[in-house]
Amino acid sequence: MPSYLDFIFVFGLSNSARELRFSGFREQMSLPASAVNLAIPGMGRSGRSFQLCYNLKGVACISTQKPVQWSIRQAAIHHQFDIQEGTTLWIVTKGDLEIKERVKALTGKDGRPEDRAFESPEKCLKSSLAVHLLNCHWSTEDWRWYIQHLEDAIESEGNLQTDIAIHGRRNRGEYARVYVPSDLQTLQDYQDKINETIMVLEANNDVLTSLRNFYKALLDNNAFAPKDACGADITAFTRQVDEMVHDSSMQISRAKLLTRITSDRKDLVSKQPTTGGSPYVKTLQGFAAPPKPNDSKDGRLDNKHA
């Protein structure tokens, strides 16, 4: 399927993450009996087949040591299925062997019998649906924890502590927080990550929805011979994909709320008033100038100024 090249090109050397913005779903069908003119018997191809290619993106924690690091990764998938012979072809392009290892575990001796049954075209089709579900699950897992990581980073972890900008000091012995321009830049960086997350999740949902619609349409295609034997399995498959789309939509709503919260925090941080009335504190658009010697310690106000 020539259009698969479009999905492979995103894996070229790049100094930016712009390729994350590319997403798509392509299909090609030749199901009628007249398609036997395309048959290659020696390769188990009857000519009656369909082809799909699409890409999905997942997220993974690559370092649990502080600062915690996450990475958004993508996979490009090509699938071809012969409805008469049951011949199946998969091509997966990814930066590592993670999906390959998962497929080997799915279809290996320890996998479910129905996921590794290839005795007939109908059983081959059911097994191919399991691989599609594996790809879909990979693209939806861990986003919850990544968004939680962003929430924690923005609200109270590390050097930002934007909760102080909202609640102020909560006890007499707590130092006031003096924000500097780099804090606003950090908040902007987090907001960019959140917007990127929303874009990726929405793109994933579009691909999952297209995949679901493709298989639902097969059930209405009279040229699709296995539809009677596999109708229940395809229906179950589309239902599971629907559940994943719904879960992703919930994470999108959560991320959209977080981007609004981040925008409000940026506004609060940039408008912080002069703290404690100390004569050395001067502000420019809400940011405190560096303190004079002996007036503060480590960028924080002494308790006597608090």
Side-chain angles (χ1 to χ4, degrees):
M1 193 171 182
S3 57
Y4 186 58
L5 293 175
D6 294 335
F7 297 88
I8 295 178
F9 289 152
V10 303
F11 292 91
L13 182 63
S14 175
N15 293 324
S16 68
R18 286 197 302 269
E19 295 296 353
L20 284 176
R21 302 171 190 170
F22 173 78
S23 188
F25 179 91
R26 307 284 188 273
E27 63 179 72
Q28 182 177 313
M29 289 193 293
S30 55
L31 301 182
S34 58
V36 295
N37 295 328
L38 304 174
I40 308 177
M43 298 182 65
R45 297 182 181 180
S46 67
R48 303 180 64 190
S49 64
F50 61 80
Q51 299 183 61
L52 304 174
C53 60
Y54 57 90
N55 66 341
L56 291 168
K57 304 172 186 71
V59 68
C61 181
I62 58 177
S63 175
T64 56
Q65 297 181 352
K66 293 187 177 182
V68 178
Q69 296 182 32
W70 290 76
S71 175
I72 297 177
R73 300 174 175 180
Q74 57 183 316
I77 297 107
H78 169 78
H79 173 58
Q80 180 175 320
F81 184 81
D82 190 298
I83 65 171
Q84 183 170 311
E85 298 290 337
T87 308
T88 305
L89 172 66
W90 289 96
I91 303 175
V92 178
T93 306
K94 193 176 181 294
D96 56 29
L97 300 178
E98 179 183 8
I99 290 183
K100 177 183 177 181
E101 295 302 324
R102 293 190 184 197
V103 173
K104 287 173 63 176
L106 178 74
T107 58
K109 62 178 182 179
D110 296 325
R112 298 189 309 171
E114 60 269 31
D115 294 338
R116 49 189 175 89
F118 308 102
E119 293 83 6
S120 67
E122 291 77 17
K123 290 184 177 180
C124 289
L125 179 64
K126 295 176 184 178
S127 298
S128 71
L129 295 178
V131 178
H132 280 306
L133 283 177
L134 182 151
N135 297 330
C136 296
H137 278 297
W138 169 81
S139 72
T140 57
E141 64 188 19
D142 291 337
W143 285 106
R144 170 189 174 187
W145 307 114
Y146 178 52
I147 295 174
Q148 181 174 304
H149 158 73
L150 294 174
E151 290 171 340
D152 292 339
I154 290 167
E155 292 186 6
S156 59
E157 281 193 357
N159 295 323
L160 279 177
Q161 297 178 335
T162 58
D163 55 341
I164 295 179
I166 296 177
H167 305 292
R169 292 176 300 159
R170 299 181 183 180
N171 60 71
R172 188 174 181 82
E174 186 177 32
Y175 288 113
R177 177 72 164 88
V178 179
Y179 293 99
V180 295
S182 61
D183 293 327
L184 189 60
Q185 294 171 335
T186 301
L187 279 171
Q188 181 61 53
D189 181 58
Y190 279 123
Q191 188 170 23
D192 290 344
K193 292 180 185 297
I194 300 165
N195 288 329
E196 180 182 66
T197 297
I198 294 170
M199 179 269 298
V200 169
L201 287 174
E202 288 180 338
N204 276 353
N205 269 5
D206 288 343
V207 171
L208 295 184
T209 300
S210 296
L211 182 64
R212 176 203 62 192
N213 291 342
F214 173 82
Y215 278 96
K216 287 181 69 174
L218 283 180
L219 295 178
D220 298 324
N221 192 326
N222 292 329
F224 183 60
K227 69 177 183 178
D228 293 330
C230 301
D233 297 279
I234 292 177
T235 300
F237 166 77
T238 59
R239 187 161 47 244
Q240 291 185 66
V241 174
D242 279 336
E243 291 175 357
M244 285 184 271
V245 169
H246 176 72
D247 289 344
S248 290
S249 296
M250 297 298 290
Q251 298 305 323
I252 291 170
S253 297
R254 179 182 176 187
K256 287 182 176 179
L257 174 62
L258 183 57
T259 194
R260 291 194 295 270
I261 291 173
T262 306
S263 181
D264 292 341
R265 298 271 171 118
K266 280 182 3 185
D267 187 57
L268 280 171
V269 167
S270 65
K271 295 179 180 179
Q272 283 298 290
T274 301
T275 308
S278 177
Y280 68 76
V281 179
K282 297 181 180 179
T283 59
L284 178 61
Q285 295 181 347
F287 290 109
K292 295 180 181 179
N294 302 324
D295 280 336
S296 67
K297 300 176 182 179
D298 299 326
R300 299 175 295 184
L301 295 178
D302 290 333
N303 288 335
K304 64 182 180 180
H305 295 299

